[in-house]
Amino acid sequence: MATGKRFKTLSIALTAAMALSLTACGNSNNNEGNTSSSSASPSSGSTSGGDSGKKVTITFQNIYPDPTTPNYKMVRQLVSQYEKEHPNIHIELDTLNTDQQKVKLKTQAASKEIPDITMVNPAAQMKPFVDAGLLAPLNDVIDKGGLKDTYQAGLLDYYSFNGNVYALPDGNNIEVVFYNKDLFQQAGISAPPTTFDEFLQDVKTLKSKGITPLAIGEKDSWTGSFLFMNILLRTNGGPGFLKDVVDGKKTFNDPAFVEAVDRFQDLVQAGAFPDGATSIDANAGGNIFKSGKAAMWIIGTWETGAIDASSVAGKVGAFQFPTVDGKGDPNEFMLAPGSAFAISANSEHLQETKDFLNYFTLNLPKTQFDLKNAVGIGQKVDGDLKAAGYSDLAITVAGLFNQVKGGDLSFDNTMNPATSQVHLSSIQNLFVQKVDSAQVAKEHQSAYESNK
Amino acid sequence: MKVLKVPARTIAVFVLPCLVLYVCLVFMPIAVSFYTGLLQWDGITGAKFVGLANFKTMFTSDPIFWPAVRHTLLYAVASMLEIPLCLWMAIMLSRHVKKGNTLVSIYFTPVILSIVIIGQLWKTIYNPVSAGGMLNGVLVALGLDSWTHNWLTEPKIAMFALYFVSLWQYFGYHLLIQYTGVQNIPDEIYEAAKIDGADGFKADLHITLPLIVPIFKVSLVLAFIGSLQAFELVMVMTGGGPAHATDVISTHMYNSSFLSLKYGYGSAIAAFLVILCLICTVIINTVMGKLERKFS
């Protein structure tokens, strides 16, 4: 009997130990999902503080993981400032790279547990979150302290649904062609091209001199699409092609689309892109340009600061995407109205979170300006770029902003996700094999129709 | 066999926690996933029950699905074909090499490395010459310029380049299993066989092979099921691209759920994968069971 009892005690002890070790596992898993953020799981943090009414933890999911970038510094600077002024508030950073964050947010959304502050993309991409009632309307936030007026005209529209603003953008960028002046000179090209034929000719010249004409990392398929959409913006004679498709006025079989595919294939055939482009991810693709190995990089102006911080600083200029076959206006750009900060409608500390976001966005322009990262942000900035020591490139880019007459949003910001994915892999395919452009158009149209 | 004299209640204390966890963490998600497969759902907003429509789309009108299944099955078959080679190596090592253990440990090294590291490593090896790819570099150095390829980006080749990396990585794993199996056969049996005049290949045919069948089966099932679920390597090296040329079932499932936001459809693919794994396990078990009976 005595042994039986001892055995029982032992077994209970063992079970307890097992249970403990299991919880330990659970914790470590949580941290893993959290990547770089320093401690504890985000959700448990926000629930624990609230009830006492004193210490409040706000989880801030963000997409600025690279410590060398100004954005990384900006977030930390503003957060520590705020924490100093509000000792009872702790801001927990959940820092992820863009792709990871997109997936994490979707899984969190599926269980209706999104972080207090998270980041979303405009228009079609954030619509499901709004429809599901996951995001809190921010009208009171933008009314406070005159925040609304700091945003560039029309920018908040991309984040508004049914008259409510649901997210506050971090930037407002355009797509331009960055080019390495030294490499252009080496190839004997005197001026940036203004027509697509000239552009194509320059590509061939560069290629013949052994210089990679266009940097790209097409493993992340949005990069190729972003470039392709620029051509479509021209062949369509102006913005609105995708909107016309949605409104039923055009189909993807439209000549403008087919021509854009053909012109894009001309680029591929001319050897414009690096070998094996589809196995290079977007960051590595950018590095081809930033390390001086490629002559041009067609990308959003958000890279301006990063280019200035790279080894090609001082050698880089920027110009508008050329007209294609005489069509389009160079001052119409692919627009990238940023990623944006949104607040969870189910946040346990809704008011505190709103107060913080208000503070954060009100102080963002000045902080960015001081970090020399004010080109391409979504809010108006006071101050003279030149006097503040901004680079010639930054000033050129700021000049291009002043010429913007309008343009299009990227494909996946405009179309539903399923159609977008078909589009993205269809464009990726153009990099690796020659395809009948009419077939590409048909593929798009049937994907659109079956996913309407 | 001795039976532990412990009351059922005590056994339950030990078994129940695991059982409950197992049911909660394995069976319930599978059940939920099967149910989700019947929904038209983006994972965020409201779901709509559509019955078997997702499965119908999957089997009849999804241009990516069947190629992905083909890629996966080819991969599974390739990884099974690797195992006889492992067995042969194991026999050779245990027979002709004195310190076979050291060699086996060396072969085992890739298994320890994280798949992400392996993927990055091989990505660099497969790079084009212009980006310093070693494989192409060696080919050029040997004067075989026409043999160079963009291994990961040519649609017809990319999948095979991936297979190779995976087979390379798991070779040591299966070698270790087979080697241990071969080592576990008592030497006396071989000595007895030698006296009876069976040596070398003959001894392998009549002694090693029959005795190793159970171990062989373990390797086969592990290799097969492992490759049906292949995901990380493809994700790291090609992401299923270019243009779905290297999509396997699991990457297609992931892309449908999280990129195309067709959560219900992704779940339907997941359900298919579960059933495929079950069917394949049953087939392997039946075939190998027959072999075992035949030999013993």
Side-chain angles (χ1 to χ4, degrees), chain A residues 112-364:
Chain A
K112 311 252 178 248
E113 283 177 3
I114 66 175
D116 299 314
I117 302 182
T118 187
M119 304 204 68
V120 293
N121 290 105
Q125 280 200 37
M126 70 181 282
K127 193 167 181 296
F129 296 95
V130 175
D131 288 348
L134 290 169
L135 305 181
L138 303 178
N139 302 344
D140 48 340
V141 176
I142 55 169
D143 286 340
K144 209 168 107 186
L147 179 60
K148 191 177 185 179
D149 299 327
T150 68
Y151 283 96
Q152 291 163 16
L155 182 57
L156 290 175
D157 295 348
Y158 296 115
Y159 298 92
S160 302
F161 296 84
N162 315 317
N164 292 323
V165 175
Y166 285 94
L168 306 175
D170 66 347
N172 187 17
N173 287 279
I174 53 177
E175 186 177 31
V176 298
V177 187
F178 289 106
Y179 73 109
N180 187 319
K181 292 175 184 165
D182 283 9
L183 293 178
F184 262 50
Q185 206 173 17
Q186 241 179 66
I189 303 167
S190 50
T194 54
T195 68
F196 196 79
D197 286 324
E198 282 173 31
F199 180 62
L200 212 52
Q201 190 50 50
D202 291 346
V203 162
K204 286 173 185 159
T205 311
L206 286 159
K207 182 80 184 167
S208 70
K209 303 270 176 187
I211 301 166
T212 303
L214 281 167
I216 200 164
E218 176 60 7
K219 187 175 181 238
D220 303 341
S221 43
W222 63 266
T223 48
S225 162
F226 201 32
L227 200 172
F228 167 81
M229 288 301 290
N230 230 324
I231 305 180
L232 180 62
L233 176 63
R234 298 282 182 265
T235 56
N236 189 49
F241 180 82
L242 292 178
K243 191 172 179 305
D244 286 347
V245 171
V246 173
D247 294 346
K249 290 184 201 149
K250 279 181 183 164
T251 69
F252 282 102
N253 299 315
D254 191 89
F257 189 84
V258 177
E259 192 192 347
V261 175
D262 280 331
R263 291 314 242 160
F264 187 84
Q265 298 214 67
D266 289 344
L267 268 184
V268 176
Q269 298 304 319
F273 302 105
D275 283 343
T278 56
S279 70
I280 306 171
D281 61 37
N283 276 331
N287 282 333
I288 300 176
F289 180 81
K290 287 189 264 181
S291 60
K293 288 192 196 110
M296 290 181 271
W297 187 19
I298 304 182
I299 198 78
T301 45
W302 61 78
E303 294 286 355
T304 310
I307 291 173
D308 277 336
S310 76
S311 65
V312 290
K315 299 175 194 166
V316 177
F319 60 88
Q320 296 107 311
F321 196 84
T323 57
V324 179
D325 302 332
K327 279 180 248 169
D329 180 342
N331 288 329
E332 285 164 348
F333 291 83
M334 285 304 296
L335 309 173
S339 323
F341 309 101
I343 292 181
S344 163
N346 305 319
S347 167
E348 299 215 2
H349 317 290
L350 195 55
Q351 199 47 53
E352 286 90 341
T353 309
K354 282 181 170 175
D355 289 344
F356 166 70
L357 188 62
N358 180 266
Y359 174 93
F360 183 86
T361 40
L362 268 177
N363 288 285
L364 187 135

Side-chain angles (χ1 to χ4, degrees), chain B residues 139-151:
Chain B
L139 287 174
V140 169
L142 291 174
L144 298 170
D145 295 42
S146 60
W147 290 20
T148 57
H149 286 282
N150 284 326
W151 303 99

Side-chain angles (χ1 to χ4, degrees), chain B residues 7 11 13 23 32 70 120 170 189 196 230 242 258 266 281:
Chain B
I11 295 177
V13 166
V23 169
V32 171
R70 199 179 67 232
Q120 293 293 351
Y170 285 105
I189 302 185
D196 289 342
F258 293 115
T281 316

Side-chain angles (χ1 to χ4, degrees), chain A residues 7-8 10-12 14-15 18 22 99 102-103 106-107 109-112 125 127-134 219 274-281 416-418 421-422 425-426 428-430 432-433 451, chain B residues 4 6 9-10 13-14 17-18 21 41-46 64 120 123 127-131 150 152-156 234-244 254-255 257-263:
Chain A
F7 193 86
K8 216 179 223 171
L10 183 70
S11 62
I12 289 167
L14 276 174
T15 322
M18 251 154 56
L22 280 169
D99 287 349
K102 275 188 183 168
V103 174
K106 279 170 196 164
T107 41
S111 55
K112 311 252 178 248
Q125 280 200 37
K127 193 167 181 296
F129 296 95
V130 175
D131 288 348
L134 290 169
K219 187 175 181 238
D275 283 343
T278 56
S279 70
I280 306 171
D281 61 37
N416 63 60
Q421 285 309 310
V422 172
S425 70
S426 186
Q428 197 186 40
N429 193 27
L430 301 180
V432 291
Q433 52 196 343
N451 289 302
Chain B
L4 209 59
V6 185
R9 219 187 316 157
T10 316
V13 166
F14 280 92
C18 261
L21 270 179
W41 186 32
D42 62 6
I44 301 171
T45 40
I64 306 160
Q120 293 293 351
K123 247 177 94 172
N127 265 341
V129 186
S130 56
N150 284 326
L152 288 177
T153 58
E154 286 174 32
K156 288 202 176 83
V234 179
M235 217 56 201
V236 172
M237 292 185 71
T238 63
H244 303 296
Y254 175 90
N255 291 337
S257 314
F258 293 115
L259 299 181
S260 300
L261 276 191
K262 296 201 271 187
Y263 213 86

